[in-house]
């Protein structure tokens, strides 16, 4: 398969009908350029989400106090929050279908999963809709430290990992409230977001990091706030380096800690391996991982430079295309191949979107914005290729081929356009032997 074809599949969502495949250079340039997908399909802003939350809380308070009309307002606020989450999935998919920069959408998905937030109710999910737009997309090609600091300033991360409840044990706030330290964010920051499991940090480091991070908090009306009176006073030593000591506490000490974490060699190794696993192979070539790590170290975490190495590395051509797509990647790439466009999605009503995307995602095991834990969605193929998951992929393929298959034309040409040389002889025979066009298209999609 030509290198442009491999790149289109590995770093994008496959082929669009009548669209020329993008070279690696074109993939990068489009992704690093203006974010036209967000301009065309803006998501719910954090300010708007906070306003919806405020309306929900006020209606709930009035409802408890028996205020006339509060019940209707409360139900309306609930419905608005649920609708915002549904619109968030529509927006996410529309950006994939509309974007001439598929690599940007893939990288956004990767980094948003790396920094997973999986809120548990419609109110926090509405707030989380802005997370990728605010904390991830603007930093895809800049220093990792910039993304890291943006993530730790976003209310969704602070709420999801209970940081907004964390109080320095010797702080003024602790003396008044009796609340204490919460280590969740500090632990995931070291284990998942930067250094990685088994990288040598200790429980002492986790606790010291948790004390250093106190003060990071959330105001339900304003979003992120830093509360010096809730921060643990004094200096903290994490991984052998001391931060802070001044009074009052200063968020600059936290930023210095994040800057140091971002450029540690353990972080370079952890990020390099995760990128190689996600985009290339479950057991990635060691040469690729080492070169990604070296690029990260040499540029102090410049994600643009690391992405260039990922795109241009010879191992990305040699490694077989054996990654199992997550349900969202599967659905998005199938719709892309069928020529389903963002304009088609705009005309798809809420009930049809439920049938086409929302319910299938859930049954396949990837309900929107509901990852099972802070470590995000699994890269293990066995997690996705289960009897139920595979059956749902096949039945979805059959249903979508019946509805949209006429767009694809002759199934044999569709197979060549979609998979090219990747398609083996058994698949080619099955497609050519299909009794109807829809069945042939379904076989290609399900493969």
């Amino acid at each position: 398969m030509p290198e442009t074809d491999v790149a289109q599949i590995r770093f994008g969502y496959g082929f669009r009908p009548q669209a020329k495949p993008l070279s690696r250079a074109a993939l990068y340039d489009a992704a690093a350029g203006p974010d036209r997908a967000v301009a065309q399909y803006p998501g719910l802003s954090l300010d708007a989400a906070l306003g919806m939350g405020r309306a929900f809380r006020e209606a709930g308070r009035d409802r408890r106090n028996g205020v006339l009309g509060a019940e209707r307002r409360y139900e309306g606020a609930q419905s608005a929050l649920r609708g915002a989450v549904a619109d968030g999935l529509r927006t996410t998919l529309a950006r994939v279908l509309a974007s001439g920069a598929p690599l940007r959408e893939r990288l956004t998905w990767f980094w948003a999963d790396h920094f997973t937030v999986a809120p548990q109710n419609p109110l926090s999910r509405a707030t989380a809709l802005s997370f990728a737009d605010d904390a991830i997309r603007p930093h895809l090609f800049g220093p990792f430290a910039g993304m890291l600091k943006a993530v730790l300033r976003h209310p969704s991360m602070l709420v999801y990992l209970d940081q907004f409840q964390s109080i320095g044990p010797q702080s003024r706030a602790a003396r008044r409230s009796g609340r204490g330290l919460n280590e969740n964010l500090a632990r995931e920051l070291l284990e998942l977001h930067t250094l990685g499991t088994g990288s040598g940090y200790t429980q002492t480091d986790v606790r010291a990091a948790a004390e250093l991070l106190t003060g990071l908090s959330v105001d339900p009306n304003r979003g992120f706030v830093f509360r010096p009176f809730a921060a643990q006073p004094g200096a903290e030593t994490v991984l052998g380096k001391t931060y802070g000591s001044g009074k009052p506490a200063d968020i600059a000490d936290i930023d210095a800690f994040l800057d140091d974490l971002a450029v540690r060699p353990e972080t370079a190794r952890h990020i390099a391996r995760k990128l190689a696993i996600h985009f290339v192979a479950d057991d990635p070539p060691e040469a690729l991982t080492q070169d990604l790590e070296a690029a990260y170290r040499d540029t102090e975490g410049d994600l643009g430079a690391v992405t260039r190495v990922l795109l241009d590395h010879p191992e990305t051509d040699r490694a077989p295309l054996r990654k199992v797509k997550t349900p969202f990647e599967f659905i998005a790439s199938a719709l892309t191949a069928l020529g389903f466009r963002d304009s088609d999605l705009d005309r798809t009503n809420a009930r049809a979107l439920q049938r086409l995307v929302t319910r299938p995602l859930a049954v396949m095991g990837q309900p929107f914005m509901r990852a099972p834990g802070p470590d995000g969605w699994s890269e293990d193929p066995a997690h996705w290729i289960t009897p139920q998951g595979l059956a749902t992929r096949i039945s979805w393929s059959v249903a979508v081929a019946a509805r949209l298959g006429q767009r694809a034309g002759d199934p044999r040409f569709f197979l060549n356009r979609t998979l090219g040389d990747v398609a083996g002889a058994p698949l080619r025979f099955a497609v050519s032997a299909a009794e109807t066009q829809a069945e042939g298209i379904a076989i290609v999609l399900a493969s």
Side-chain angles (χ1 to χ4, degrees):
M1 178 175 275
E3 65 158 19
T4 53
D5 293 359
V6 173
Q8 201 79 12
I9 294 171
R10 202 183 289 287
F11 303 114
Y13 288 92
F15 299 94
R16 299 176 187 273
Q18 288 79 51
K20 183 180 178 181
L22 297 175
S23 67
R24 284 168 164 77
L27 279 167
Y28 183 91
D29 290 345
D35 196 343
R36 295 188 176 92
V38 164
Q40 185 175 358
Y41 290 99
L44 184 71
S45 71
L46 179 59
D47 285 344
L50 292 173
M52 295 172 73
R54 185 162 53 249
F56 176 73
R57 290 191 302 275
E58 290 173 355
R61 180 197 60 208
D62 291 348
R63 177 170 170 257
R64 290 190 297 273
N65 293 333
V67 175
L68 185 65
E71 183 69 36
R72 181 176 297 176
R73 284 169 45 220
Y74 182 78
E75 291 174 357
Q78 271 191 322
S79 178
L81 289 168
R82 287 194 295 268
V85 176
D87 288 344
L89 175 56
R90 184 188 293 271
T91 298
T92 301
L93 183 57
R95 290 173 178 177
V96 170
L97 298 174
S99 178
L103 175 62
R104 183 192 293 276
E105 304 309 315
R106 287 290 307 278
L107 287 170
T108 299
W109 186 267
F110 169 82
W111 286 112
D113 186 65
H114 179 77
F115 292 110
T116 289
V117 292
Q120 303 303 309
N121 59 66
L123 175 56
S124 51
R125 286 188 195 120
T127 306
L129 287 169
S130 69
F131 177 72
D133 285 359
D134 294 344
I136 302 298
R137 294 180 80 99
H139 304 282
L140 291 174
F141 298 94
F144 179 66
M147 185 184 290
L148 189 61
K149 284 184 273 193
V151 163
L152 264 68
R153 281 170 165 79
H154 199 279
S156 293
M157 182 61 75
L158 301 178
V159 170
Y160 177 53
L161 293 179
D162 301 316
Q163 181 63 30
F164 74 107
Q165 296 179 335
S166 186
I167 302 293
Q170 279 78 50
S171 68
R172 286 182 289 137
R175 291 196 294 271
R176 290 208 309 264
S177 69
R179 288 159 57 191
L181 192 67
N182 188 296
E183 296 181 356
N184 287 355
L185 178 60
R187 188 176 307 281
E188 307 306 358
L189 174 64
L190 299 180
E191 180 178 326
L192 300 178
H193 301 159
T194 57
L195 307 179
T197 306
S199 54
Y201 66 86
T202 66
Q203 173 56 31
T204 300
D205 292 317
V206 172
R207 182 172 179 87
E211 291 184 347
L212 181 61
L213 295 177
T214 52
L216 299 178
S217 192
V218 176
D219 181 290
N221 295 315
R222 292 184 290 149
F224 169 74
V225 291
F226 182 70
R227 304 187 190 277
F229 65 88
Q232 176 73 353
E236 302 293 342
T237 300
V238 190
L239 301 167
K241 186 167 181 177
T242 301
Y243 302 90
S245 70
K247 296 181 180 179
D250 193 333
I251 195 171
D253 297 325
I254 296 175
D255 285 343
F257 169 55
L258 298 178
D259 284 334
D260 288 343
L261 271 183
V263 297
R264 286 185 68 95
E266 301 93 335
T267 301
R269 192 171 307 119
H270 180 53
I271 297 299
R273 183 163 175 78
K274 280 199 73 171
L275 281 165
I277 288 173
H278 181 79
F279 284 98
V280 179
D282 296 320
D283 185 15
E286 187 61 27
L288 171 62
T289 303
Q290 289 178 354
D291 288 347
L292 290 171
E293 181 183 342
Y296 188 105
R297 286 197 319 268
D298 293 347
T299 63
E300 297 189 325
D302 183 322
L303 297 181
V306 174
T307 301
R308 280 192 180 277
V309 171
L310 178 66
L311 283 169
D312 295 336
H313 203 282
E315 290 293 351
T316 64
D317 285 334
R318 288 195 283 264
L321 287 166
R322 292 177 180 164
K323 288 289 299 182
V324 170
K325 295 181 179 181
T326 65
F328 180 82
E329 291 167 342
F330 168 65
I331 289 175
S333 61
L335 292 176
T336 296
L338 287 168
F340 192 80
R341 304 193 64 79
D342 54 305
S343 55
D344 299 313
L345 189 63
D346 292 340
R347 294 190 293 269
T348 303
N349 63 36
R351 183 170 295 180
L353 185 66
Q354 279 273 339
R355 292 195 304 269
L356 180 66
V357 181
T358 311
R359 287 197 197 103
L361 278 179
V363 178
M364 291 178 198
Q366 196 176 32
F368 182 58
M369 292 183 67
R370 297 174 66 181
D375 53 347
W377 298 109
S378 177
E379 292 284 354
D380 183 357
H383 181 86
W384 302 113
I385 304 304
T386 63
Q388 178 175 324
L390 189 56
T392 303
R393 291 187 188 216
I394 293 171
S395 62
W396 184 88
S397 299
V398 170
V400 170
R403 178 183 166 190
L404 302 174
Q406 70 277 6
R407 297 166 177 252
D410 188 312
R412 293 166 297 180
F413 296 150
F414 179 65
L415 174 62
N416 286 332
R417 188 175 70 240
T418 304
L419 294 176
D421 294 341
V422 173
L427 177 58
R428 292 187 179 279
F429 173 79
V431 171
S432 64
E435 294 185 2
T436 67
Q437 182 210 32
E439 287 180 4
I441 299 300
I443 290 169
V444 177
L445 297 178
S447 71

